[in-house]
Amino acid sequence: MSLDTLTALSPLDGRYASKVAALRPIFSESGLMQRRVHVEVEWLIALSDEPGISEVPSLSGAAREFLRDLAVNFDIEAARRVKAIEATTNHDVKAIEYWLKEQIGQHAELGPLLEFVHFACTSEDINNLAYALMLVDARDQVLRPRIGDIRIQLAHYATTYAATPMLSRTHGQTASPTTLGKEFANVVARLDRQLRQLDTWQSPGKINGAVGNFNAHAITYPNVDWPTLSERFVTSLGLQCAPLTTQIEPHDGVAELCDLSRRIGTILIDLSRDIWGYVSLGYFAQALKPGEVGSSTMPHKVNPIDFENAEGNFGLANALFGHFSEKLPISRWQRDLTDSTVLRALGSAFGHMLVALDSLAKGLGKLRVNEQRLADDLNNSFEVLAEAIQTVMRRYALPEPYERLKALTRGQGITPDRLREFVDGLELPADEKARLRDLTPAQYIGLAAELARRV
């Protein structure tokens, strides 16, 4: 069976293939190979810049450009050649080393330096840096911009509907009113906290040999300051140097990014479910698309499928992120290989998250606020003013304010006239009594509008 979007095993390469295209250059096997090549050529250049390694003279500008072009121009044909070499070596990083030696073997300046390709490196020296670069690219090029777009949509709703009254529901029951904009602003505030951490997250990396002690390095060039060279090299890649490791960089940084991504996903699941509920209540309508069907049997249906799709895919992403953050920092003794196969699935987690973000953005773009439905709910819920009345009664030391309002309103609806009758019987200053008599649920929104506009 030929590989096609209709025959793909994973929906990320099938049904959702077009939605995750931005991640393919990053998390595909070819993307991993390209970053391995990048690390390898930069390491060779770094060795040439170290005065204590006389056997690798400082490279000319042309040689440096030649090496860097190997990484920049690494394409699918190069990836296929690496795979052909791997078929013999049965080792993916060694295949990269041999491919590089093929590329520079006939180069006049680089040819004599063949054995300094992958010098003193264990495979994990290359892999951890390659994966770190992948994660940085995923954050900067895909994840952060997409979440930023969602934030812009939510902030627009927050400010546009900052003063639009809406009935709250706590425990599913009517509660003190809020505004539609304030509820969107709550989500923006939660996202902003996570985005600040996402923006400052740094991916650690290491290049210190088979068990993290520079054994091979120090025995070959004992006069070179390898820890300093290592730190200089790792930071030159835009990464944070991890100075103390076993054979593997312990993946705590990967876990941090996964936990951050999972928290963002959880916040947006919460949002998706709330909007789903508000659509059900009629607070939102959804823009109609000609030809679109909501149900195969019920012609009237306009389902909130974008929010359902978002919730499902955030859930899948979070399940994977959770496994990564729990599993990857654990490795037996100086290393076991369980991280290798797990790391290859990183793209699946980000893929499901990207599908979810796309669905959520699409759903948000379809929303149409039904202000009449919002107003009707408020006008039918005068019992929510019990809080306002009993709190003012407390100010003026009236007896048993909470208990009296509880007896009047708990578990039952109440008409505006009955509530006004209750207020008329209170021993309150005339201006306070008038204020409470005229109060409606739509007016009882506290500082919601002001708070909403802060985003």
Side-chain angles (χ1 to χ4, degrees):
M1 184 179 289
S2 61
L3 182 62
D4 186 273
T5 55
L6 294 174
T7 62
L9 181 62
S10 166
L12 295 177
D13 290 320
R15 185 177 186 87
Y16 303 132
S18 63
K19 298 179 183 294
V20 297
L23 291 173
R24 285 202 180 86
I26 299 172
F27 286 113
S28 63
E29 187 161 12
S30 176
L32 174 58
M33 289 178 182
Q34 187 273 331
R35 286 162 182 81
R36 284 169 169 162
V37 171
H38 175 57
V39 173
E40 292 276 15
V41 300
E42 291 299 331
W43 180 238
L44 183 56
I45 292 170
L47 294 176
S48 81
D49 288 335
E50 173 53 49
I53 306 177
S54 58
E55 288 78 8
V56 187
S58 182
L59 296 175
S60 67
R64 293 166 189 261
E65 183 178 1
F66 179 86
L67 285 172
R68 287 173 172 146
D69 281 348
L70 293 176
V72 171
N73 298 323
F74 190 87
D75 58 16
I76 192 64
E77 292 305 317
R80 289 193 178 104
R81 176 56 189 154
V82 172
K83 288 299 288 184
I85 298 171
E86 186 186 340
T88 299
T89 63
N90 197 31
H91 195 289
D92 49 2
V93 177
K94 202 67 176 175
I96 292 288
E97 177 188 343
Y98 288 169
W99 179 83
L100 274 170
K101 288 179 176 179
E102 284 184 353
Q103 306 309 306
I104 70 175
Q106 302 305 311
H107 191 282
E109 185 177 351
L110 297 170
L113 306 179
L114 283 186
E115 295 311 319
F116 283 91
V117 173
H118 199 69
F119 178 77
C121 291
T122 184
S123 298
E124 179 60 14
D125 285 328
I126 307 304
N127 275 338
N128 88 94
L129 296 171
Y131 275 112
L133 293 171
M134 290 165 72
L135 290 173
V136 170
D137 286 345
R139 178 195 62 180
D140 294 347
Q141 298 175 21
V142 182
L143 187 61
R144 183 59 176 86
R146 298 298 177 89
I147 299 171
D149 290 343
I150 295 290
R151 189 211 180 277
I152 290 171
Q153 286 181 287
L154 297 175
H156 170 73
Y157 279 120
T159 54
T160 301
Y161 299 103
T164 302
M166 182 180 83
L167 187 66
S168 289
R169 281 177 169 79
T170 59
H171 311 282
Q173 310 302 306
T174 58
S176 301
T178 182
T179 68
L180 183 58
K182 168 58 169 40
E183 299 314 298
F184 280 108
N186 293 339
V187 183
V188 175
R190 295 177 70 187
L191 277 181
D192 282 349
R193 186 170 189 273
Q194 301 307 318
L195 289 174
R196 285 192 293 272
Q197 296 176 66
L198 185 64
D199 290 341
T200 58
W201 169 80
Q202 289 185 290
S203 189
K206 73 101 183 181
I207 188 162
N208 52 17
V211 292
N213 299 333
F214 299 101
N215 303 54
H217 310 65
I219 198 67
T220 310
Y221 290 101
N223 296 323
V224 171
D225 183 352
W226 287 105
T228 298
L229 173 54
S230 170
E231 181 177 10
R232 186 167 63 243
F233 174 67
V234 172
T235 56
S236 76
L237 297 175
L239 306 174
Q240 183 182 57
C241 184
L244 294 170
T245 75
T246 60
Q247 182 176 108
I248 68 168
E249 194 285 318
H251 304 317
D252 294 331
V254 180
E256 290 162 7
L257 179 60
C258 290
D259 286 337
L260 269 168
S261 300
R262 184 167 51 166
R263 289 198 297 274
I264 291 169
T266 298
I267 290 167
L268 296 179
I269 287 174
D270 196 25
L271 170 68
S272 298
R273 289 179 178 175
D274 277 357
I275 294 180
W276 186 96
Y278 290 137
V279 170
S280 180
L281 290 173
Y283 289 1
F284 292 115
Q286 298 176 96
L288 300 179
K289 185 176 180 180
E292 197 169 77
V293 173
S295 166
S296 62
T297 187
M298 294 175 280
H300 71 283
K301 297 288 287 295
V302 184
N303 296 331
I305 55 172
D306 297 308
F307 301 103
E308 294 168 339
N309 183 283
E311 179 182 342
N313 277 285
F314 280 129
L316 282 168
N318 279 8
L320 287 168
F321 284 134
H323 179 63
F324 297 149
S325 63
E326 291 173 7
K327 184 272 157 298
L328 288 172
I330 298 172
S331 185
R332 296 171 183 88
W333 296 339
Q334 281 67 53
R335 92 97 24 114
D336 66 45
L337 205 60
T338 54
D339 65 325
S340 179
T341 188
V342 172
L343 283 166
R344 289 182 179 275
L346 282 171
S348 295
F350 287 99
H352 284 293
M353 189 170 193
L354 189 56
V355 172
L357 291 168
D358 181 80
S359 294
L360 181 57
K362 185 178 178 183
L364 289 170
K366 289 181 180 179
L367 292 181
R368 301 293 182 268
V369 177
N370 186 342
E371 297 197 33
Q372 186 59 55
R373 181 71 180 87
L374 290 168
D376 289 345
D377 250 12
L378 288 163
N379 291 331
N380 290 326
S381 303
F382 264 73
E383 68 273 9
V384 300
L385 298 181
E387 179 194 45
I389 295 169
Q390 65 96 7
T391 306
V392 173
M393 289 171 67
R394 286 175 186 270
R395 176 186 174 183
Y396 291 98
L398 271 61
E400 298 184 321
Y402 179 88
E403 289 73 18
R404 291 166 70 182
L405 268 299
K406 173 184 171 183
L408 180 70
T409 63
R410 189 170 189 237
Q412 56 186 316
I414 189 168
T415 65
D417 288 342
R418 190 177 175 197
L419 201 61
R420 292 184 186 116
E421 181 182 346
F422 178 85
V423 170
D424 284 339
L426 297 174
E427 294 181 2
L428 289 172
D431 58 338
E432 290 285 20
K433 188 178 293 190
R435 193 161 63 97
L436 291 177
R437 287 187 81 262
D438 294 338
L439 186 64
T440 68
Q443 296 167 332
Y444 185 51
I445 59 172
L447 305 178
E450 175 188 330
L451 296 170
R453 294 188 180 101
R454 291 183 180 182
V455 303

